[in-house]
Amino acid sequence: MKNVKVLIITAVMMCAMPAVLAQQVLNLEKCHELALASNSHLKIAQERVKETEALKGAALAQFFPKVSVNGTYNWNQKNISLLSDEQQGAINNMGTTVMSQVTPAMQPVVMQLMQSDPQLAMTLAQSLAGMNVEEALNGVGHEITDAFNIDTRNIFAGAVTVSEPIYLGGKIRAMYKTAKLTNQAALLQADQTQENLLIQVDEAYWRVISLQHKQSLAHQYCNLLDTLNQNVEAMVAEGVATQSDLTQVRVKLNEAQMSLTKAENGLALSKMVLYQLCGLNLTGDYEIAEEEGMRSFQPEQTLDMQNVWNKRKEIKLLEIGDQMAKTNVKTATSGLLPNVAVTGSYLVSNPNVFNGFRNKFAGMFTAGVVVNIPICHAEDFLAVKAAKHKRNEVQYELEEARNAIELQVNKLNYELEVANKKLVQAQSNLLNAEENLRLANESFEAGVINSSDLMAAQTAWMSAKSEVVDAEIEIRMDYLYLQQALGNN
């Protein structure tokens, strides 16, 4: 029973092994998807786009009012005293002082009344005694000194402020336009980064395909020479060929095997480059599938350079740079224009002096207009001048870029035309080389030619086949570069 279980487990593992060991197939479209999903430079460009979007929103927020809340607390060691100690003593005792001067002054009056009207004098004396003026005035004096005794040991203050710019010489509008243009430039740069990445993937992919063909061709060539080596060995044994003929074949076979090793090494390194671009494990084993069929990649018959300039991201970036330079001129000019802003606040403090000095919270509203008119700002004049020169510089760069793109497009279009001619010639040479190899094989088997002539035919066939592979890859890449130059990617 145990052996049966082992056999079942082994059978299941054997069935599952092909699925586990199956290579993942990578075609050009799959390589593009993997590269776009894993490339760090593209992710950086995308983050830069998000950054500029946030900055554009921050610039837009400059048009709206700003609301801020401020608060403060201060502790002071001593109170503020508006009266000196001597002044406070005098005010606190002003009742006593007054009575000390009034009583002596009233005594002669009372004594005179006592002589003329004792009853009235007695009544007046009793009234003065009952008024208690001294105590009342002293109490008022204490109230006055208490009112001037300000408690400033704990001070609280706060404000809610609203400010709105009305006109800053066009600076805010220019800042927003600059932020908007910066965002557009970041989007174009992200697209350009993606475009360059796809070009790199295409280059690496077709390099691998080319080397796969070269490797296969090297295998075929080695097999031909190996077969020839065996035939010549048999001929030497029969005495119809010399040892020198066999040595020549073996030298050629060794050279072919070295070429095969170089092709295998180059293919392995090229695959690593492709894997790195796709974000794959460099030591992974993937099957690189070639697109079926060879499409026609023909040069452009007519070139509309204005249309090309409108499509090229480099020109668009320089045009955005020109608009930004124009906006920078306006920004610099704003330093020479008046600035107007309105503000509104609600202030609160403890202690407050809105109704006498009181240790309570109280507040008030304020509103105002701020106007700044520059009169003599030499640095702003020079800043405007520098901004204008910068715009001229960008316009010259734009003109130079258009000329360079026109040369690039015409050069690539011509190279594609030449590559197509090379392919036609290479295919014609291959047909001749194949026919020559067929005839050489028949002649060698018939004993009409020797091994050196057959090897020459084999070498010519391999060279012609290699030229066809190179020409096909060259056409694909030239067409790809041309489409990039035309702005069609």
Side-chain angles (χ1 to χ4, degrees):
M1 187 66 180
K2 183 177 180 181
N3 293 335
V4 173
K5 290 183 178 179
V6 172
L7 289 174
I8 293 174
I9 293 173
T10 303
V12 172
M13 292 179 64
M14 291 294 291
C15 293
M17 190 173 297
V20 174
L21 297 178
Q23 288 181 311
Q24 182 179 353
V25 179
L26 297 178
N27 54 22
L28 184 57
E29 182 180 358
K30 184 65 176 179
C31 290
H32 283 173
E33 293 177 358
L34 293 172
L36 293 176
S38 62
N39 186 261
S40 59
H41 293 288
L42 184 57
K43 292 178 180 178
I44 291 171
Q46 291 169 348
E47 289 298 321
R48 188 173 295 116
V49 170
K50 296 177 182 178
E51 174 191 353
T52 56
E53 287 176 351
L55 292 175
K56 183 176 71 172
L60 180 62
Q62 298 293 323
F63 289 99
F64 301 99
K66 290 184 175 63
V67 181
S68 59
V69 177
N70 298 304
T72 182
Y73 165 77
N74 285 323
W75 175 83
N76 299 313
Q77 179 185 6
K78 296 180 179 181
N79 283 331
I80 295 176
S81 179
L82 301 178
L83 299 174
S84 64
D85 293 341
E86 292 78 6
Q87 291 172 329
Q88 291 184 29
I91 295 173
N92 289 337
N93 297 309
M94 66 179 180
T96 303
T97 303
V98 170
M99 291 307 296
S100 65
Q101 295 178 2
V102 170
T103 300
M106 290 299 294
Q107 285 180 355
V109 176
V110 174
M111 292 300 294
Q112 187 176 1
L113 285 175
M114 285 292 292
Q115 295 176 2
S116 59
D117 191 347
Q119 186 65 36
L120 179 60
M122 186 62 68
T123 302
L124 178 59
Q126 291 175 353
S127 297
L128 291 173
M131 287 175 63
N132 199 10
V133 175
E134 180 179 353
E135 184 177 348
L137 289 176
N138 286 342
V140 172
H142 280 285
E143 291 179 0
I144 293 173
T145 56
D146 289 341
F148 278 94
N149 186 16
I150 302 173
D151 184 4
T152 56
R153 288 174 298 176
N154 297 286
I155 298 178
F156 301 87
V160 179
T161 304
V162 179
S163 60
E164 169 65 19
I166 302 300
Y167 178 72
L168 299 182
K171 184 182 300 182
I172 297 179
R173 187 180 298 276
M175 288 173 57
Y176 175 69
K177 187 173 182 180
T178 299
K180 189 176 180 180
L181 292 171
T182 303
N183 177 242
Q184 294 176 5
L187 287 169
L188 285 173
Q189 288 171 345
D191 290 341
Q192 194 171 35
T193 301
Q194 177 175 319
E195 179 183 307
N196 292 336
L197 172 63
L198 295 180
I199 291 292
Q200 291 177 355
V201 172
D202 286 338
E203 290 174 344
Y205 173 83
W206 289 113
R207 187 182 301 113
V208 170
I209 295 299
S210 175
L211 289 172
Q212 284 184 165
H213 283 290
K214 296 290 184 66
Q215 183 189 36
S216 175
L217 183 60
H219 272 296
Q220 296 177 42
Y221 186 51
C222 285
N223 291 336
L224 289 175
L225 289 173
D226 187 58
T227 302
L228 178 60
N229 181 63
Q230 295 175 10
N231 293 335
V232 173
E233 285 179 348
M235 293 170 66
V236 170
E238 295 176 0
V240 295
T242 66
Q243 189 67 33
S244 176
D245 294 332
L246 180 60
T247 302
Q248 291 178 1
V249 173
R250 288 179 175 175
V251 169
K252 204 69 174 179
L253 178 59
N254 289 335
E255 292 177 354
Q257 289 173 343
M258 290 184 64
S259 298
L260 175 60
T261 301
K262 291 180 180 179
E264 290 174 344
N265 293 337
L267 178 59
L269 293 174
S270 297
K271 281 186 174 181
M272 287 184 185
V273 174
L274 181 61
Y275 296 162
Q276 190 271 335
L277 289 171
C278 296
L280 299 173
N281 185 0
L282 297 183
T283 59
D285 187 16
Y286 304 92
E287 179 184 352
I288 310 301
E290 182 179 2
E291 293 182 346
E292 295 183 0
M294 177 68 180
R295 295 193 298 110
S296 176
F297 301 99
Q298 298 300 324
E300 298 290 330
Q301 298 301 319
T302 58
L303 294 173
D304 184 359
M305 291 310 304
Q306 186 60 50
N307 185 44
V308 173
W309 292 332
N310 293 337
K311 290 181 179 179
R312 285 293 292 265
K313 295 179 177 62
E314 297 90 336
I315 298 298
K316 291 180 180 179
L317 285 170
L318 285 172
E319 288 175 346
I320 289 176
D322 180 54
Q323 295 179 46
M324 292 177 67
K326 181 179 178 181
T327 303
N328 289 338
V329 173
K330 294 182 179 180
T331 303
T333 305
S334 66
L336 302 172
L337 299 176
N339 295 336
V340 181
V342 296
T343 61
S345 302
Y346 181 78
L347 308 175
V348 63
S349 66
N350 181 6
N352 71 86
V353 291
F354 298 121
N355 186 18
F357 191 91
R358 295 186 299 174
N359 291 102
K360 294 182 179 180
F361 282 100
M364 67 174 179
F365 289 98
T366 65
V369 178
V370 179
V371 179
N372 175 268
I373 301 176
I375 301 300
C376 182
H377 288 192
E379 67 277 11
D380 290 325
F381 282 105
L382 295 175
V384 172
K385 187 176 181 180
K388 289 180 178 178
H389 285 300
K390 179 62 179 178
R391 191 187 178 194
N392 293 337
E393 177 185 336
V394 175
Q395 289 176 335
Y396 286 131
E397 291 177 354
L398 184 58
E399 181 180 355
E400 183 180 2
R402 288 195 179 106
N403 293 333
I405 288 173
E406 184 175 4
L407 175 62
Q408 179 192 36
V409 169
N410 283 278
K411 179 174 178 291
L412 291 172
N413 200 48
Y414 175 75
E415 288 179 353
L416 180 58
E417 183 179 356
V418 172
N420 276 282
K421 292 179 180 179
K422 284 183 180 178
L423 178 60
V424 173
Q425 293 173 354
Q427 290 172 338
S428 177
N429 291 338
L430 178 60
L431 291 175
N432 294 329
E434 288 176 343
E435 178 64 16
N436 182 50
L437 179 60
R438 185 184 66 79
L439 295 174
N441 282 323
E442 293 177 354
S443 300
F444 180 75
E445 291 175 358
V448 177
I449 63 174
N450 57 27
S451 58
S452 298
D453 296 329
L454 180 57
M455 284 189 296
Q458 291 173 341
T459 302
W461 169 81
M462 181 181 177
S463 176
K465 186 73 174 178
S466 179
E467 287 177 357
V468 170
V469 173
D470 291 339
E472 289 179 345
I473 299 299
E474 183 180 354
I475 286 177
R476 288 181 182 273
M477 296 311 301
D478 285 347
Y479 180 78
L480 187 66
Y481 295 144
L482 177 60
Q483 293 305 307
Q484 183 189 26
L486 293 175
N488 293 332
N489 291 341

